[in-house]
Amino acid sequence: MPKHPVSRHVLRPLPLVITLAVALPAFAESSPQSHDHQPVDLTAVQVRATPLPGTTEDLVRPVEVLAGERLDAAKANSLGETVNKLPGVQSSYFGPGVGRPIIRGFDGARVQVLSDGLGAGDVSTVSADHAVSIEPFLAEQIEVLKGPSTLLYGSGAIGGAVNVIDGRIPEAATAEPLHGRAELRGGSVNNERTGMLRLDGTSASGNVVFHFDALHRETGDYDIPGFAESARLLAEEDETPDPATAGTLPNSAVRTDSGALGVSWIGDRGFLGVGYSLFNTRYGVPGHSHEAGDDHDHADAHDGEGHSDEGVHIVMDQRRSELRGGLDELGVFETLRVKFAQTDYTHTEFEGDEVGTVFDNSSKEARVELVHRPWGGWRGAFGAQWSRRDFDAVGAEAFVPATQGSATGLFWIGEREFGPLKLELGARHDRNEIDSAAQALAPQRRTARKFEAKSASAAVKWELNDSFHFSLGLDRAQRVPTAEELFSNGLHVATGTIEIGDDSLGVETANRLELGLRWHSERVQLGMAAYAIKYDDFIYQSTLEPLGEPGSVLTDGGTAVHLWNQANARFRGMEADATIALADNASGGWDLRLFGDIVRGRLDGGGSRDVDLEVFHGEHTHRHAARIALDGNLPRIAPARIGSELSWNRGPWRASVGAVRYMKQDDVAANETTTPGYTLVDAHLAWHKDSAHGNAWEIFLDGSNLLDQEARPHTSFLKDLAPLPGRGIAFGVRAFF
């Protein structure tokens, strides 16, 4: 059972608290306060994901930042959906409760999700139906590092990293003794009701600073255009759906509670702070149910109510304690930063009212960053990172054994300017150990592995003039296999497959070349990048075919068998983003944003190889002889996109309308179906009012999927069972005080 009992009354008074908070500005003292709600110049925002302070304009590596009004407009129920419109970034989808960032075609264990520089502590990489334990609505800044970020964050960031800044442990005194923000919002497509409150304050002495935040969200089953099952799946099953079941996706409701409290002591040369946070969410898994005999099938969409007794839902509970500290001016060192987090996480899968499988994860992580003054012209930072993870899965569908893992990494990153050239170098060495109870799932399997990974990077930026610069990046990054890739053996309900790990997997190595350019004038900002990545021993899940039966799929008891495997692979892609200031006159300010991206991923191993498999079921072991293809397209690669957005502002008003075209994805892997293209149109309208006391109000109206298109992301395991929500209108009020 879960370590932490699930309470449906967590933060129940929150709506009342928020209502009071919204009313608070009217009673605030008349002392003027500064509230800058103008659009944030994102090129000037400090990026905190790197120990060397810099902006997106200064950094050599490609980084995207969401903050201010742009972040407010992008915030969504999941982190993946929040960053989904950044060039080169898309989202996984397993219903509205689950969305993990996909960066340039990489997801899962190759994209690290961070809470202000430390891992989230969840198990969202274990399975596609596991949510990220970070609440985007409480973020004050989100940073996306595109390309290998292993130098900074180790093996799990070989494809990139997403760093969410929430300010839960203050590092400096606030500008006013007390300030904050609150938000109430509702939505039509899923009957959403969300409330959020954030408070930050400083004592009269200026030495004690506190932070408090809380959020409560409830949504019902969301509306869809048409039926849950795709036309292709209905035709394949020769099924005629009941018209009464159209228009709603059953078992797609979500309930989330999140909150945190942090306190810091601020001195003349540093700070020391502690924090505690919780994240609790309950969400349905659409398209999944369990019949007698533990068979896996898609949900019965014909109950007409959307809450089948056999529906699968997940309750996730996380508690996190953190300690952070910093010192400045340490002789030859500019700053010292120390971070530590301990996280207890429980993920419980319910089949109706019965507990199916429970995933427990306890993790500890520590990080030290020491920035040194220029040595021989090089300004840089040393870092050390340590983590430990104790993972356990109990239940009939625990396809991954209990594991204990530890990792230690040392790194250095430095930069130096040579006239118009800025050079960045870095290196990192990691040691990882994984011990497992794999023999409990499959006898005779290895139970422990040790790995070493080495990464190095060189990047240069050439400032041709003040408005035009080129960049060139070269990386050699390594990733060690995860416990799931090594030791899994059993039915993985989320993907509907039997998943078999390979305990002989080795380290994968990525060699990346990237060319980029940025240009800006008084009216235009343009960024472009092209990249190519060659992987040696790329780790992936392969579809198998029985020996002697070409073109068929290997099954065990009627369920497809997938094997974790290694082969060489190549990725290549391009992305571009442009913002054009069309006009700024009596009619208001008019801006046009255009963006697009494309990525392709293919195996490059050549030919095939034969394998002998052991599939362990209960007390029985089934042996299979199969063949693995070592070339062809990789599955669930994000499709190409083009998008545009026209924005306007005049006085207290601002508005925008945009559209993103997702292209048809027909570069598919073996036994993978193509996905039709679709267009998503959205719009935003907000009215902002500053009060006489220095506080502010904002009323907003947001529209999504305004064309009510049937949209099925190619990156989703549920694309034929769960389309994206249909047309929706969200509305609400924000208060800044």
Side-chain angles (χ1 to χ4, degrees), residues 527-545:
M528 299 180 66
Y531 55 90
I533 308 170
K534 181 181 180 297
Y535 265 92
D536 296 327
D537 299 320
F538 182 80
I539 300 173
Y540 67 103
Q541 263 194 1
S542 58
T543 302
L544 308 172
E545 66 176 36

Side-chain angles (χ1 to χ4, degrees), residues 233-291:
L233 183 61
L234 292 171
E236 181 181 293
E237 297 182 343
D238 193 22
E239 189 175 323
T240 301
D242 183 348
T245 64
T248 302
L249 183 66
N251 200 30
S252 58
V254 178
R255 178 189 176 110
T256 301
D257 292 297
S258 182
L261 178 64
V263 180
S264 295
W265 183 87
I266 309 296
D268 294 334
R269 293 179 52 210
F271 74 96
L272 180 65
V274 295
Y276 181 80
S277 62
L278 66 87
F279 183 85
N280 183 286
T281 186
R282 174 192 178 105
Y283 56 93
V285 181
H288 283 65
S289 66
H290 298 276
E291 310 295 342

Side-chain angles (χ1 to χ4, degrees), residues 334-356:
E334 292 183 5
T335 61
L336 168 67
R337 292 293 182 266
V338 179
K339 306 175 182 179
F340 174 79
Q342 176 174 324
T343 306
D344 292 315
Y345 169 102
T346 297
H347 169 114
T348 306
E349 180 181 289
F350 288 87
E351 303 168 20
D353 294 327
E354 299 296 325
V355 174

Side-chain angles (χ1 to χ4, degrees), residues 431-484:
R431 284 189 175 182
N432 296 67
E433 297 184 15
I434 303 176
D435 297 315
S436 81
Q439 289 180 335
L441 289 180
Q444 310 305 319
R445 299 196 69 179
R446 297 162 72 175
T447 60
R449 292 293 308 276
K450 295 183 180 181
F451 301 93
E452 291 195 6
K454 300 178 178 65
S455 299
S457 172
V460 63
K461 184 178 73 170
W462 176 31
E463 293 190 3
L464 192 61
N465 52 50
D466 290 341
S467 59
F468 194 16
H469 71 247
F470 291 97
S471 61
L472 170 67
L474 297 170
D475 296 272
R476 179 187 183 274
Q478 291 190 315
R479 183 180 77 88
V480 305
T482 65
E484 301 76 49

Side-chain angles (χ1 to χ4, degrees), residues 416-438:
R416 182 178 178 181
E417 295 185 3
F418 299 87
L421 298 179
K422 184 175 183 179
L423 179 63
E424 180 189 279
L425 299 176
R428 181 176 176 121
H429 182 268
D430 285 279
R431 284 189 175 182
N432 296 67
E433 297 184 15
I434 303 176
D435 297 315
S436 81

Side-chain angles (χ1 to χ4, degrees), residues 23-31 33 691 693-695 737:
L24 184 59
F27 301 99
E29 295 181 3
S30 59
S31 58
Q33 301 178 32
S691 74
H693 302 297
N695 306 303
F737 51 90

